[in-house]
Amino acid sequence: MDRPNFSELARTLGVDRRTAKKYYEGNVKKERKQKKSKIDDYHDIIKSLLSAKNKQVFYYKSHLYRYLVREHGLKCSRSNFNYFILNNNKFADYFKPKSKREAIKSETPFGKQAQFDWKEKLKFSFKDGSEMLLNVGSLILSASRFKVWTIYPSTSQNHLFDFLANAFEILGGVPEEILIDNASTMMDQARTERSEGKINNKFKQLADDYGFKIVPCVRARPNTKAKVENPMRIIDEIMNYNGIMENLEELHKKMSTITNEANSRICQATNLPPILVYNKEKEHLLPLPNDKVCSFYKNVTTSAKVNTNALFKYKQNMYSVPPKLIGKTIVIEVTENNLYVYYNKNLVTIHTISENKVNYHNDHHVQLLGMTFKGQDKETVSEYANKHFKELEKFNEQLSEIM
């Protein structure tokens, strides 16, 4: 068979002569089969995590990436993971871009400044269906970007003072000034463009005792505190565990893990991990005041032993804790009208101060009865718990009538 004129064929097809010859001779490379990515194995897990039915919340792709690394052993680069997410329309739609105003970047000397803020009212659900509002205190050293993050049940002034007193101890010193917002626990009157505002007297006393200067931001200018505002989205990672945590103790541990990871990752502004730069910055912090001053600002606490009914005593009345604490000594923090109960520095439950003689949280009650009636199915235990609960309520009512 005569060979064709490849030049003429190429002109007819509008391609290069060598291309025409290659196809004629059959020297075309077969299309390679797409190699399976390691991330493909996580497709179903990601689909489940990003499902509308899942209570867990992932605000950013970085949150999901770190969660999969932390909890499911994912091993791939961030860039490959982002590529995988963005090439799946349903996954990509989950992460909607958020517009933001860029803050003016500024650097401060070592030990000069820290920025404080609350991450407020994160509605968190536990595995048993119970819910609470989480508030995370955030203090970040402006130079090193070293972070102290702690979960609190409220943003009350008592909890503010307790957070700062403990945060300074963690840092091993005090910065020269702290940049704050205009929350009522710190400012009686907000600072505006026309007014310096008025600092709360109690907060001013704390600042004087610790030796730092208070620098309020101008109201409605959150970008002034960019070094503390921007990392706030990392705190949102705690919502990755919404609906799957057993208790507050576990949640505190996860918050500690998230904090340690954030302090160990390279910071874009310094190209170094905050923990490394902090080791230098802490040499420039002001010394802590004496122990008496530090103790004064920490929440007043008392201790109590948990009895065999998973109850502790406060002012002649009894309050419940998880049954696993039976026989343990717990710490009770009295703030406003609430009892915050801690074990090993972890918050385990909250009670409103009551006139009732016996005060059980329903989940504690069910857990206790579950231990008493081992082998019984959950429905039977729950039914008995409800009956017993009504008896307790009747008992409390009868006592109140006598008193």
Side-chain angles (χ1 to χ4, degrees), residues 44-169:
D44 290 345
I45 295 174
I46 295 171
K47 183 179 178 181
S48 175
L49 290 172
L50 301 186
S51 166
K53 296 179 182 178
N54 186 27
K55 289 185 177 180
Q56 293 169 261
V57 182
F58 299 86
Y59 292 103
Y60 303 92
K61 292 189 292 294
S62 58
H63 289 191
L64 178 60
Y65 171 75
R66 288 194 287 268
Y67 179 84
L68 290 169
V69 170
R70 192 185 304 129
E71 306 299 334
H72 292 279
L74 174 66
K75 293 181 180 179
C76 74
S77 67
R78 268 284 303 280
S79 57
N80 284 345
F81 180 77
N82 287 348
Y83 181 81
F84 177 83
I85 294 295
L86 294 174
N87 276 276
N88 184 304
N89 291 334
K90 289 186 178 179
F91 294 167
D93 286 345
Y94 182 94
F95 300 99
K96 294 181 180 179
K98 299 170 180 63
S99 59
K100 61 180 181 179
R101 262 174 60 191
E102 290 296 325
I104 298 173
K105 290 186 178 180
S106 61
E107 297 302 333
T108 51
F110 283 162
K112 174 69 176 175
Q113 184 190 85
Q115 300 186 6
F116 168 78
D117 204 356
W118 286 108
K119 183 74 176 183
E120 296 184 64
K121 297 179 180 177
L122 296 171
K123 189 176 181 181
F124 194 88
S125 301
F126 290 93
K127 198 171 184 178
D128 63 1
S130 61
E131 295 182 343
M132 73 173 291
L133 292 178
L134 304 180
N135 303 276
V136 182
S138 174
L139 189 70
I140 300 180
L141 292 175
S142 297
S144 64
R145 272 67 167 186
F146 186 83
K147 304 156 186 71
V148 179
W149 290 332
T150 309
I151 294 173
Y152 278 87
S154 81
T155 59
S156 67
Q157 194 172 64
N158 283 351
H159 283 138
L160 165 68
F161 289 178
D162 185 75
F163 170 71
L164 290 175
N166 284 293
F168 293 146
E169 283 194 12

Side-chain angles (χ1 to χ4, degrees), residues 116-332:
F116 168 78
D117 204 356
W118 286 108
K119 183 74 176 183
E120 296 184 64
K121 297 179 180 177
L122 296 171
K123 189 176 181 181
F124 194 88
S125 301
F126 290 93
K127 198 171 184 178
D128 63 1
S130 61
E131 295 182 343
M132 73 173 291
L133 292 178
L134 304 180
N135 303 276
V136 182
S138 174
L139 189 70
I140 300 180
L141 292 175
S142 297
S144 64
R145 272 67 167 186
F146 186 83
K147 304 156 186 71
V148 179
W149 290 332
T150 309
I151 294 173
Y152 278 87
S154 81
T155 59
S156 67
Q157 194 172 64
N158 283 351
H159 283 138
L160 165 68
F161 289 178
D162 185 75
F163 170 71
L164 290 175
N166 284 293
F168 293 146
E169 283 194 12
I170 291 170
L171 295 175
V174 183
E176 292 179 26
E177 62 183 37
I178 295 185
L179 200 60
I180 64 166
D181 60 16
N182 288 282
S184 60
T185 52
M186 296 178 283
M187 299 291 292
D188 289 339
Q189 293 177 7
R191 180 189 170 192
T192 65
E193 293 180 357
R194 297 183 180 182
S195 168
E196 290 297 315
K198 184 181 178 182
I199 298 169
N200 176 274
N201 287 334
K202 289 184 179 179
F203 186 57
K204 180 69 168 63
Q205 186 61 56
L206 178 143
D208 291 343
D209 287 344
Y210 276 90
F212 67 85
K213 178 185 176 184
I214 300 168
V215 183
C217 292
V218 176
R219 187 169 58 185
R221 285 191 189 172
N223 279 6
T224 311
K225 291 195 285 86
K227 290 169 188 172
V228 72
E229 292 285 352
N230 290 339
M232 281 297 187
R233 65 183 187 179
I234 302 175
I235 294 176
D236 283 329
E237 286 189 41
I238 201 66
M239 296 305 292
N240 298 175
Y241 299 92
N242 190 43
I244 64 170
M245 287 285 97
E246 294 283 354
N247 51 49
L248 281 163
E249 186 177 348
E250 286 188 4
L251 193 63
H252 276 276
K253 288 177 182 177
K254 289 300 180 186
M255 188 76 256
S256 179
T257 298
I258 290 168
T259 305
N260 291 336
E261 286 179 1
N263 282 326
S264 301
R265 284 195 298 273
I266 290 177
C267 171
Q268 291 183 352
T270 62
N271 286 322
L272 291 168
I275 183 65
L276 186 63
V277 187
Y278 158 73
N279 287 331
K280 183 67 180 175
E281 183 168 18
K282 67 181 178 181
E283 299 172 6
H284 299 263
L285 297 172
L286 301 173
L288 291 166
N290 61 55
D291 290 343
K292 188 175 180 180
V293 170
C294 295
S295 298
F296 177 79
Y297 288 104
K298 292 180 181 178
N299 286 331
V300 177
T301 59
T302 184
S303 61
K305 192 165 185 178
V306 181
N307 69 18
T308 54
N309 292 314
L311 295 167
F312 67 90
K313 194 173 187 178
Y314 176 75
K315 288 188 175 180
Q316 306 308 311
N317 294 333
M318 308 298 288
Y319 298 85
S320 69
V321 295
K324 67 179 181 179
L325 296 180
I326 289 174
K328 307 290 186 184
T329 299
I330 47 98
V331 174
I332 309 157

